[in-house]
Amino acid sequence: MANKNIRTLSSRKELDDNLFENIAELSQKNASKEEFQALSKRFLIDDSVVIGTASFYDFTRESNRTKKVHVCNGTACMVANTQTNLQQQLEQHFKPEEIGHAACVGRCHSNNAFMYNNDTFSVENSTQLNGIITKKNKQENTYRIGCNTTPILTSKIENTSQFYKLAKAFEKKPETVIAALKKSNLRGRGGAGFPFWFKLDAVIKENNTQKYIVCNADEGDPGAYSDMYLMEHQPHKVLFGMYLSGITVGANTGVLYIRGEYPNSIKKINEAINELKELGLANNFKFKIIRGQGSYVCGEETALLNSIEGLRPEVRVRPPYPAQYGLYGKPTVLSNVETFANIHWILENGGDAYAALGTKQSTGTKLVSLDSFFNTPGVYEIEMGTPLTTIFENFGNGFKSEIKALQIGGPLGGIVPMSEVKNLTLDFESLGNNGFLLGHASFVSIPKDFPMIKYLEHLMEFTADESCGKCYPCRIGSFRGKEMLQKAQNTTYKIDTQLFNDLLETLEIGSLCALGGGVPLPIKNALHYFNQELKQYFTSN
C-alpha cells in the first residue's frame, strides 16, 4: 500500500518532471542533504523514499558519487583476466578512491573495458590509455556483424520516412496487428520467451485513458551486447516497434529505460528520436529516455517500472501484471529491445513468413553475442534452430585458446561443457530440454585454466551485489553461498553438500524473481559436469 501511495504522488509530475531523473541529477552533482530533502518536499513524499532510492544504485549511492572512472567487472572481462592490469594502469591517472566499477559496459568482444567521461573504451596498452585520459581521444566500439539467413534485424534502413509509412497501413487495425504477431509466434527476446502478441492483446482490453509502452533496454547480462547493437545501429527498428505497439493498444507514450553503462546507446536513440521530430513522423506518440543508474535487477520488468517511478527497484508481487497495473499503475506493454525490433519486418512480410524461419516453437532469428575468446567475436543474426557448432565454426571461427565450457544467456544462464555443444541448437527448446537456457543468447567462454569454483563464487557474488533485497532467499541465500565458496577456497573448510543443495533449492523456489531463482541453474550445471574439479571443495555424500 505504501508503494501505491508513493507511486501516485510520483505520477503527479509524470515523465516530464521525473522523480528518478531528479534523484540521479542530484547524486551526480553530489548534492547536499538539504537539496535531497527539498526534492522530497516538492514531490510530497518522505525523505526516506528519496534517500532509499539514491542509496541503491551503483552511480547514485553516496559512496560512489566521486568516482571518475568505472572499470568493467563483468563476467567476460573477468574470465579474460584483463581487468587487474587495467586497474593498475588507471591508478597512474586517478586516485584509488576515484575508481569505481561497472557491471558490464558492452565491450565483451574486446575486454580491457572501462567507462570514462560519459563514454566506454577498451585499451591494449598504456599509450592508448594515456591518449584517452590526457587528450580525450574518442574510440569507436567496433565488432563484427553478420547473418546466416534472411536479415531481419541486421538489414539496413535506406529511407527513414519510407520505413515509417508502414504504420499508416495498420493505424486503425489492431486486430490485424495482433493476428500477424500471433501467426509469427514472436517470443520475447529478453530471455523469458513469452509470446509477444499476448501482451498487446491484454493491454488493448484494458479500459484506461492512459497506457504506456516500455522498452526494457537495461541489457545487464554480462556477455550480451546485442541490444546495444540494435540501439546504436538500428534505432528506428526499435522505435518503430514501440510506436506501432502504441497505436495498436491505444498508448501515446513510449519509455526507453537504457542502462547508464551504454552512454552511446542513449546518444544514438536520442538522435533517432530527434530525427523523427524533424521529419514529422510519429507525431501522435511521445518517446522518453530514462537513463539507468547501475542495477542488474532493473532488467526484471516490475523492478524496472519501480525504478522509472523513483522507487527502490524492488520486484513487485504478481498479480497484478504490468498489462493491468504497470507504469504509474497504468496498463503497460513491456518488452525488450530485440522483440520490438522484429515488428516492422513481421508486419511488412506477414506473420507466416516469420514463422517459416526457425523452428515451430522458436520462430524467426536471434541475435547472438560472441565474446573475445572467439577468433571473430561479434553480434550475429542467426536463424533459430541452427546448431551451435555451426555458429562457433562459421561465425566465431573457433576459439583462440582451449575452452572447457560456455555460459549461455547471462549470469542466470546454463553452464554448457564443450562436450555438450554438439548436441545443442540455438532455440528455446533445445537448450531448455537439456537443462540449460537460451536467455539473451550471449556466449561467455570459460577457459580451461579458469577455476570453476572461482566462477561459481563470481555468480553468487554477482547475485548478492545485485539483489533488490525484497525477498530473503535471494538477499541472504546468495550472500551465504558466496561465503561458503570463498571459505572453501581460502581455508581447509569443505562445503556440506546437502546444506549447499538445500540452499540452491531455497533460492530456486523461494525467490520472487529470476535473479535468485535463476542462479541455481548454472551452479547445478557446474556441479554436475565438473564434479571431478569441484569435489575437493565439498563433503562426500
Side-chain angles (χ1 to χ4, degrees), residues 368-381:
V368 303
S369 306
L370 303 186
D371 75 355
S372 66
F373 280 94
F374 289 88
N375 283 309
T376 51
V379 170
Y380 300 101
E381 183 175 10

PDB file of all heavy atoms in Angstrom, residues 368-381:
ATOM      1  N   VAL A 368      23.011 -13.208 -31.493  1.00  0.00           N
ATOM      2  CA  VAL A 368      23.905 -13.824 -30.509  1.00  0.00           C
ATOM      3  C   VAL A 368      25.131 -12.936 -30.331  1.00  0.00           C
ATOM      4  O   VAL A 368      25.562 -12.251 -31.265  1.00  0.00           O
ATOM      5  CB  VAL A 368      24.337 -15.254 -30.922  1.00  0.00           C
ATOM      6  CG1 VAL A 368      23.127 -16.140 -31.130  1.00  0.00           C
ATOM      7  CG2 VAL A 368      25.194 -15.240 -32.183  1.00  0.00           C
ATOM      8  N   SER A 369      25.674 -12.935 -29.124  1.00  0.00           N
ATOM      9  CA  SER A 369      26.874 -12.158 -28.807  1.00  0.00           C
ATOM     10  C   SER A 369      28.006 -13.128 -28.488  1.00  0.00           C
ATOM     11  O   SER A 369      27.901 -13.915 -27.540  1.00  0.00           O
ATOM     12  CB  SER A 369      26.625 -11.249 -27.592  1.00  0.00           C
ATOM     13  OG  SER A 369      25.487 -10.437 -27.776  1.00  0.00           O
ATOM     14  N   LEU A 370      29.075 -13.069 -29.265  1.00  0.00           N
ATOM     15  CA  LEU A 370      30.235 -13.932 -29.035  1.00  0.00           C
ATOM     16  C   LEU A 370      31.353 -13.114 -28.387  1.00  0.00           C
ATOM     17  O   LEU A 370      31.658 -12.004 -28.837  1.00  0.00           O
ATOM     18  CB  LEU A 370      30.723 -14.532 -30.352  1.00  0.00           C
ATOM     19  CG  LEU A 370      29.710 -15.350 -31.158  1.00  0.00           C
ATOM     20  CD1 LEU A 370      30.388 -15.994 -32.369  1.00  0.00           C
ATOM     21  CD2 LEU A 370      29.025 -16.408 -30.302  1.00  0.00           C
ATOM     22  N   ASP A 371      31.966 -13.671 -27.352  1.00  0.00           N
ATOM     23  CA  ASP A 371      32.965 -12.921 -26.586  1.00  0.00           C
ATOM     24  C   ASP A 371      34.359 -13.003 -27.201  1.00  0.00           C
ATOM     25  O   ASP A 371      34.553 -13.586 -28.279  1.00  0.00           O
ATOM     26  CB  ASP A 371      32.955 -13.366 -25.121  1.00  0.00           C
ATOM     27  CG  ASP A 371      33.617 -14.725 -24.904  1.00  0.00           C
ATOM     28  OD1 ASP A 371      34.008 -15.389 -25.893  1.00  0.00           O
ATOM     29  OD2 ASP A 371      33.743 -15.146 -23.735  1.00  0.00           O
ATOM     30  N   SER A 372      35.337 -12.445 -26.509  1.00  0.00           N
ATOM     31  CA  SER A 372      36.679 -12.265 -27.067  1.00  0.00           C
ATOM     32  C   SER A 372      37.470 -13.549 -27.221  1.00  0.00           C
ATOM     33  O   SER A 372      38.528 -13.546 -27.851  1.00  0.00           O
ATOM     34  CB  SER A 372      37.478 -11.290 -26.192  1.00  0.00           C
ATOM     35  OG  SER A 372      37.698 -11.857 -24.911  1.00  0.00           O
ATOM     36  N   PHE A 373      37.008 -14.657 -26.659  1.00  0.00           N
ATOM     37  CA  PHE A 373      37.732 -15.913 -26.826  1.00  0.00           C
ATOM     38  C   PHE A 373      37.499 -16.533 -28.201  1.00  0.00           C
ATOM     39  O   PHE A 373      38.224 -17.434 -28.612  1.00  0.00           O
ATOM     40  CB  PHE A 373      37.351 -16.906 -25.726  1.00  0.00           C
ATOM     41  CG  PHE A 373      38.059 -16.649 -24.427  1.00  0.00           C
ATOM     42  CD1 PHE A 373      37.465 -15.884 -23.437  1.00  0.00           C
ATOM     43  CD2 PHE A 373      39.331 -17.136 -24.196  1.00  0.00           C
ATOM     44  CE1 PHE A 373      38.117 -15.629 -22.241  1.00  0.00           C
ATOM     45  CE2 PHE A 373      39.995 -16.891 -23.000  1.00  0.00           C
ATOM     46  CZ  PHE A 373      39.387 -16.131 -22.021  1.00  0.00           C
ATOM     47  N   PHE A 374      36.480 -16.061 -28.924  1.00  0.00           N
ATOM     48  CA  PHE A 374      36.289 -16.489 -30.300  1.00  0.00           C
ATOM     49  C   PHE A 374      37.265 -15.739 -31.195  1.00  0.00           C
ATOM     50  O   PHE A 374      37.617 -14.587 -30.923  1.00  0.00           O
ATOM     51  CB  PHE A 374      34.858 -16.204 -30.759  1.00  0.00           C
ATOM     52  CG  PHE A 374      33.815 -17.100 -30.132  1.00  0.00           C
ATOM     53  CD1 PHE A 374      33.220 -16.750 -28.926  1.00  0.00           C
ATOM     54  CD2 PHE A 374      33.456 -18.294 -30.731  1.00  0.00           C
ATOM     55  CE1 PHE A 374      32.269 -17.568 -28.337  1.00  0.00           C
ATOM     56  CE2 PHE A 374      32.500 -19.117 -30.148  1.00  0.00           C
ATOM     57  CZ  PHE A 374      31.912 -18.766 -28.953  1.00  0.00           C
ATOM     58  N   ASN A 375      37.682 -16.373 -32.274  1.00  0.00           N
ATOM     59  CA  ASN A 375      38.598 -15.715 -33.199  1.00  0.00           C
ATOM     60  C   ASN A 375      37.951 -14.519 -33.890  1.00  0.00           C
ATOM     61  O   ASN A 375      38.632 -13.546 -34.208  1.00  0.00           O
ATOM     62  CB  ASN A 375      39.119 -16.714 -34.237  1.00  0.00           C
ATOM     63  CG  ASN A 375      40.191 -17.623 -33.660  1.00  0.00           C
ATOM     64  OD1 ASN A 375      41.152 -17.146 -33.069  1.00  0.00           O
ATOM     65  ND2 ASN A 375      40.017 -18.922 -33.802  1.00  0.00           N
ATOM     66  N   THR A 376      36.643 -14.612 -34.126  1.00  0.00           N
ATOM     67  CA  THR A 376      35.919 -13.475 -34.706  1.00  0.00           C
ATOM     68  C   THR A 376      34.699 -13.166 -33.840  1.00  0.00           C
ATOM     69  O   THR A 376      33.573 -13.541 -34.176  1.00  0.00           O
ATOM     70  CB  THR A 376      35.488 -13.766 -36.161  1.00  0.00           C
ATOM     71  OG1 THR A 376      34.809 -15.020 -36.211  1.00  0.00           O
ATOM     72  CG2 THR A 376      36.679 -13.796 -37.088  1.00  0.00           C
ATOM     73  N   PRO A 377      34.924 -12.497 -32.718  1.00  0.00           N
ATOM     74  CA  PRO A 377      33.799 -12.128 -31.846  1.00  0.00           C
ATOM     75  C   PRO A 377      32.911 -11.094 -32.524  1.00  0.00           C
ATOM     76  O   PRO A 377      33.335 -10.398 -33.442  1.00  0.00           O
ATOM     77  CB  PRO A 377      34.490 -11.537 -30.615  1.00  0.00           C
ATOM     78  CG  PRO A 377      35.809 -11.042 -31.121  1.00  0.00           C
ATOM     79  CD  PRO A 377      36.214 -12.000 -32.200  1.00  0.00           C
ATOM     80  N   GLY A 378      31.671 -11.021 -32.086  1.00  0.00           N
ATOM     81  CA  GLY A 378      30.762 -10.038 -32.650  1.00  0.00           C
ATOM     82  C   GLY A 378      29.316 -10.384 -32.391  1.00  0.00           C
ATOM     83  O   GLY A 378      29.003 -11.303 -31.619  1.00  0.00           O
ATOM     84  N   VAL A 379      28.422  -9.629 -33.058  1.00  0.00           N
ATOM     85  CA  VAL A 379      26.978  -9.867 -32.969  1.00  0.00           C
ATOM     86  C   VAL A 379      26.519 -10.460 -34.295  1.00  0.00           C
ATOM     87  O   VAL A 379      26.772  -9.877 -35.362  1.00  0.00           O
ATOM     88  CB  VAL A 379      26.220  -8.556 -32.676  1.00  0.00           C
ATOM     89  CG1 VAL A 379      24.719  -8.760 -32.826  1.00  0.00           C
ATOM     90  CG2 VAL A 379      26.536  -8.059 -31.269  1.00  0.00           C
ATOM     91  N   TYR A 380      25.841 -11.609 -34.219  1.00  0.00           N
ATOM     92  CA  TYR A 380      25.409 -12.298 -35.433  1.00  0.00           C
ATOM     93  C   TYR A 380      23.926 -12.634 -35.350  1.00  0.00           C
ATOM     94  O   TYR A 380      23.444 -13.089 -34.304  1.00  0.00           O
ATOM     95  CB  TYR A 380      26.232 -13.570 -35.632  1.00  0.00           C
ATOM     96  CG  TYR A 380      27.716 -13.298 -35.759  1.00  0.00           C
ATOM     97  CD1 TYR A 380      28.579 -13.507 -34.676  1.00  0.00           C
ATOM     98  CD2 TYR A 380      28.249 -12.795 -36.939  1.00  0.00           C
ATOM     99  CE1 TYR A 380      29.940 -13.233 -34.776  1.00  0.00           C
ATOM    100  CE2 TYR A 380      29.608 -12.518 -37.048  1.00  0.00           C
ATOM    101  CZ  TYR A 380      30.446 -12.751 -35.967  1.00  0.00           C
ATOM    102  OH  TYR A 380      31.790 -12.474 -36.069  1.00  0.00           O
ATOM    103  N   GLU A 381      23.231 -12.374 -36.454  1.00  0.00           N
ATOM    104  CA  GLU A 381      21.822 -12.740 -36.536  1.00  0.00           C
ATOM    105  C   GLU A 381      21.733 -14.158 -37.075  1.00  0.00           C
ATOM    106  O   GLU A 381      22.095 -14.427 -38.220  1.00  0.00           O
ATOM    107  CB  GLU A 381      21.065 -11.773 -37.442  1.00  0.00           C
ATOM    108  CG  GLU A 381      19.577 -12.075 -37.499  1.00  0.00           C
ATOM    109  CD  GLU A 381      18.768 -11.060 -38.286  1.00  0.00           C
ATOM    110  OE1 GLU A 381      19.390 -10.206 -38.957  1.00  0.00           O
ATOM    111  OE2 GLU A 381      17.526 -11.117 -38.234  1.00  0.00           O
TER     112      GLU A 381
END
